[in-house]
């Protein structure tokens, strides 16, 4: 197996305590998977903040997340291409954008109980990192990357699709959480042939627990700023503010918005 860590090759050989091994066995059993290397699974469940508290060169899940993101994208794209032969490229992209989103992936991660097995640094732990959607979504992608390395694309795809096909079905039946940024983008492109613009207004709080404030400009109209614990979350909330304002104003703009969302 090629070295998958972002540290020295020996980093994967670090010893795991009996309690950690027991926890990892418990986690993979709950997933219906089996890892030949518990060290690789442990790396997938190790946030970069833990490296700050541990030995220099200690492996974390950043590189596995990078790999897992690509495995995820291809798995979902292939499934959509085959399962939805009558959908256009734009429609396939809309479904995919939700399924691979931070909101969707973090919800799956929490459902799997991944937050209980994630290792992180003390600072991140104290700032509520175990409940941060971005961290959980990234860890799930790292898990995908690790499983791909231990097996092959076919087996990894089977595992991913077991988790993600139900989410795809939610999107197709409009039972999913709204992706306001995508709705607003399609609305703007349809009505003005331009793009919405998001502006980072300010950042508040200490480095380990920042809050981002973003405002959205849609078809030349500026809407109230919204906050989030990441820039991506703040942009999503700003898009929601714009969506709700357009919807409340009524008229042809609100009708157009609903047509875009229902397409």
């Amino acid at each position: 197996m090629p070295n998958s860590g972002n540290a020295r090759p020996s980093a994967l050989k670090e010893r795991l305590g009996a309690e950690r091994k027991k926890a990892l066995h418990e986690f993979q059993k709950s997933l219906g998977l089996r890892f030949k290397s518990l060290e690789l699974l442990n790396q997938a469940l190790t946030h970069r903040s833990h490296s700050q508290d541990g030995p220099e060169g200690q492996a974390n899940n950043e590189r596995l997340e990078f790999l897992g993101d690509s495995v995820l994208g291809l798995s979902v794209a292939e499934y959509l291409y085959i399962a939805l032969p009558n959908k256009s490229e734009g429609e396939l992209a809309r479904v995919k954008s939700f399924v691979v989103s931070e909101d969707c992936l973090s919800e799956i991660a929490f459902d799997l109980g991944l937050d209980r097995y994630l290792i992180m640094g003390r600072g991140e732990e104290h700032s509520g990192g175990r409940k941060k959607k971005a961290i959980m979504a990234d860890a799930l992608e790292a898990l995908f990357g690790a499983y791909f390395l231990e097996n092959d694309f076919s087996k990894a795809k089977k595992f991913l699709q077991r988790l993600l096909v139900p989410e795809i079905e939610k999107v197709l039946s409009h039972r999913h959480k709204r992706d306001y940024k995508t709705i607003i983008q399609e609305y703007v492109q349809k009505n003005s042939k331009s793009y919405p613009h998001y502006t980072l207004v300010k950042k508040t709080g200490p480095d380990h627990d920042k809050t981002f404030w973003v405002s959205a400009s849609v078809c030349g109209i500026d809407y109230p700023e919204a906050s989030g614990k990441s820039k991506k979350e703040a942009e999503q909330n700003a898009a929601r503010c714009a969506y709700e304002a357009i919807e409340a104003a009524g008229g042809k703009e609100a009708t157009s918005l609903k047509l875009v969302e229902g397409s």
Side-chain angles (χ1 to χ4, degrees):
M1 182 180 69
N3 173 40
S4 58
N6 58 350
R8 299 187 303 268
S10 60
L12 272 178
K13 298 299 183 183
E14 60 181 301
R15 291 189 177 185
L16 300 175
E19 186 175 343
R20 181 59 177 171
K21 285 183 179 179
K22 181 180 178 182
L24 292 173
H25 280 301
E26 177 185 90
F27 181 58
Q28 65 177 354
K29 184 178 179 180
S30 72
L31 296 176
L33 305 178
R34 182 174 178 80
F35 278 80
K36 295 184 285 289
S37 169
L38 284 182
E39 289 81 9
L40 182 62
L41 175 58
N42 189 64
Q43 182 185 351
L45 298 174
T46 301
H47 186 253
R48 66 177 180 273
S49 61
H50 183 63
S51 303
Q52 299 168 3
D53 296 338
E56 183 181 354
Q58 190 171 29
N60 62 58
N61 64 9
E62 285 189 308
R63 282 170 56 89
L64 287 173
E65 176 211 333
F66 166 79
L67 177 62
D69 177 71
S70 295
V71 176
L72 169 65
L74 182 55
S75 297
V76 173
E78 183 192 56
Y79 178 85
L80 293 174
Y81 183 84
I82 294 171
L84 304 173
N86 298 320
K87 295 288 187 181
S88 68
E89 182 273 340
E91 291 172 312
L92 296 178
R94 183 179 68 84
V95 177
K96 179 175 178 283
S97 70
F98 170 77
V99 176
V100 302
S101 70
E102 182 181 292
D103 280 346
C104 183
L105 295 179
S106 62
E107 187 172 329
I108 292 172
F110 285 123
D111 286 345
L112 295 177
L114 191 150
D115 53 307
R116 299 197 301 271
Y117 299 93
L118 192 64
I119 297 174
M120 58 182 59
R122 289 185 294 271
E124 191 64 65
E125 182 81 61
H126 293 154
S127 69
R130 205 168 293 278
K131 297 300 179 185
K132 291 179 180 177
K133 292 190 290 186
I135 289 177
M136 292 302 126
D138 290 348
L140 183 63
E141 289 183 333
L143 180 67
F144 294 157
Y147 192 64
F148 165 75
L149 283 179
E150 279 226 333
N151 296 277
D152 54 29
F153 179 68
S154 178
K155 289 183 179 179
K157 178 179 67 175
K158 184 177 179 180
F159 169 49
L160 267 71
Q161 290 183 356
R162 170 159 63 89
L163 298 178
L164 294 166
V165 168
E167 302 303 321
I168 291 171
E169 291 173 349
K170 286 181 185 178
V171 178
L172 296 175
S173 60
H174 301 285
R175 292 182 289 113
H176 62 294
K177 292 180 181 177
R178 288 169 170 155
D179 179 356
Y180 290 100
K181 279 192 70 175
T182 298
I183 295 170
I184 288 296
Q185 178 169 316
E186 292 179 2
Y187 165 80
V188 172
Q189 288 179 310
K190 182 177 180 180
N191 288 276
S192 68
K193 308 300 180 184
S194 61
Y195 292 91
H197 181 69
Y198 297 92
T199 302
L200 178 62
V201 178
K202 61 184 176 182
K203 295 183 285 187
T204 59
D207 287 341
H208 68 274
D209 190 23
K210 283 196 176 298
T211 297
F212 297 81
W213 297 81
V214 169
S215 65
S217 177
V218 178
C219 297
I221 300 175
D222 295 328
Y223 292 93
E225 62 194 50
S227 65
K229 298 309 292 183
S230 68
K231 187 178 178 182
K232 186 182 295 184
E233 182 181 14
E235 288 178 351
Q236 186 69 231
N237 291 335
R240 179 176 180 172
C241 284
Y243 175 98
E244 291 176 346
I246 296 169
E247 183 181 45
K252 64 180 182 180
E253 289 80 11
T255 300
S256 176
L257 188 65
K258 288 298 183 182
L259 287 173
V260 166
E261 185 176 11
S263 62

